[in-house]
């Protein structure tokens, strides 16, 4: 929000033309040459540039253009357009710390007698995996059209709120970076649980089950967290089939072409809490 209005923004560089030659890299020692026309669009947290004239979080579009040429130079072997696009994407999402939409949130309630309620969180953490997700065995009635599947896209934007066990300020650890490190560690547990091991992944039978496993992992890993609330809207990727009366198989879906949409989207939310400690 900016001045009471919803502000959506992005910026980038279009039509950056670059040609790359690999000498004697082709069959029979022939040179290989490609020409790419690159467009870059960054969705970054730089609202202050629009509202306050603060450019400290902006990546200059001229820098983007120069990055294209520099990264093309780094391609020591013949590279596909897809691999080069991934190379660029990895650069822009890892090199600049302010890129990315998720936000670190906190809420502190302290009364005059010293009682503390401390909640931290992450908002807008985008997660997507293209495989190892399904949805089967749900209730079907006369209005149900959704087919059961063992293979679908799973995309969501996580909002997580975790409440600490600390009941007073004196109970908070004294390390200056405690909350920064705890935020990073909780986010890592959430992400790792969503995707599973890098070598094998993990199957998700539903967003509900994945949400629960993420909450369990956080509480098991961090004993000073009393509860965690997770909201995970199911951002749908709808299978695309193009057909007509004359051409029923113009484009047949084969787990490869989807229409992404977040209107409407499923809403899944749950809170997992530790049982209250005995006062005996």
């Amino acid at each position: 929000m900016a001045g009471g209005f919803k502000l959506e923004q992005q910026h980038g560089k279009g039509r950056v033309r670059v040609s790359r030659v690999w000498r004697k890299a082709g069959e029979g020692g022939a040179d290989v040459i490609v020409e790419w026309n690159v467009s870059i669009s960054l969705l970054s947290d730089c609202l202050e540039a629009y509202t306050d004239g603060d450019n400290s979080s902006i990546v200059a579009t001229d820098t983007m253009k120069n990055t294209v040429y520099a990264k093309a130079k780094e391609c020591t072997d013949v590279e596909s357009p897809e691999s080069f696009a991934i190379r660029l994407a990895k650069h822009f999402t890892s090199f600049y710390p302010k890129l990315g939409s998720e936000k670190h949130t906190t809420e502190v309630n302290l009364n005059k007698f010293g009682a503390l309620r401390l909640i931290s969180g992450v908002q807008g953490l985008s997660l997507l995996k293209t495989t190892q997700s399904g949805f089967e065995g749900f209730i079907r009635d006369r209005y149900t059209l959704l087919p059961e599947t063992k293979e679908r896209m799973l995309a969501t934007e996580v909002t997580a709120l975790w409440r600490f066990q600390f009941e007073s300020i004196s109970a908070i650890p004294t390390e200056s970076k405690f909350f920064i490190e705890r935020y990073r560690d909780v986010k890592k547990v959430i992400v790792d649980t969503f995707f599973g091991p890098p070598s094998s992944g993990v199957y998700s039978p539903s967003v509900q089950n994945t949400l629960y496993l993420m909450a369990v992992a956080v509480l098991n890993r961090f004993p000073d967290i009393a509860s965690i609330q997770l909201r995970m809207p199911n951002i749908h990727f709808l299978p695309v089939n193009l057909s007509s009366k004359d051409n029923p198989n113009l484009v047949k879906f084969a787990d490869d072409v989807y229409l992404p949409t977040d209107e409407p989207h499923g809403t899944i939310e749950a809170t997992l809490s530790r049982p209250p400690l005995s006062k005996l």
Side-chain angles (χ1 to χ4, degrees), residues 101-102 122-128 155-158 191 194-195 235:
S101 59
E102 70 263 18
V122 58
Q123 179 182 352
L125 175 60
S126 297
L127 298 175
L128 179 150
T156 188
E157 192 173 84
V158 178
V191 172
F194 180 87
F195 289 108
I235 301 173

Side-chain angles (χ1 to χ4, degrees), residues 192-214:
D192 289 351
T193 306
F194 180 87
F195 289 108
S199 60
S200 59
V202 63
Y203 182 73
S204 170
S206 66
V207 178
Q208 287 85 345
N209 180 252
T210 297
L211 182 153
Y212 172 74
L213 294 177
M214 289 160 64

Side-chain angles (χ1 to χ4, degrees), residues 86-100:
I86 291 171
R87 182 187 291 269
L88 286 173
K90 288 172 65 176
H91 171 82
F92 285 116
T93 56
S94 61
F95 184 77
Y96 298 102
K98 291 192 178 183
L99 294 179

Side-chain angles (χ1 to χ4, degrees), residues 23-66:
R23 303 297 180 185
K24 300 181 179 179
E27 294 183 4
D31 291 351
V32 176
I33 183 171
V34 297
E35 181 178 330
W36 293 319
N37 192 325
V38 180
S39 294
I40 299 167
S41 180
L42 300 185
L43 301 177
S44 59
D45 190 11
C46 61
L47 296 182
E48 293 83 0
Y50 293 83
T51 59
D52 303 323
D54 179 0
N55 298 331
S56 60
S57 60
I58 286 183
V59 181
T61 63
D62 187 69
T63 301
M64 299 179 200
K65 176 195 63 152
N66 296 339

Side-chain angles (χ1 to χ4, degrees), residues 241-270:
N241 285 297
L242 296 181
S243 62
S244 66
K245 181 178 179 181
D246 297 328
N247 193 347
N249 295 311
L250 180 61
V251 173
K252 189 168 180 60
F253 175 70
D255 291 324
D256 53 1
V257 181
Y258 298 84
L259 170 65
T261 178
D262 59 1
E263 296 180 354
H265 60 251
T267 56
I268 296 93
E269 177 178 334

Side-chain angles (χ1 to χ4, degrees), residues 18 53 165 260-261 269 277:
V18 58
Q165 301 259 34
T261 178
E269 177 178 334
L277 296 175

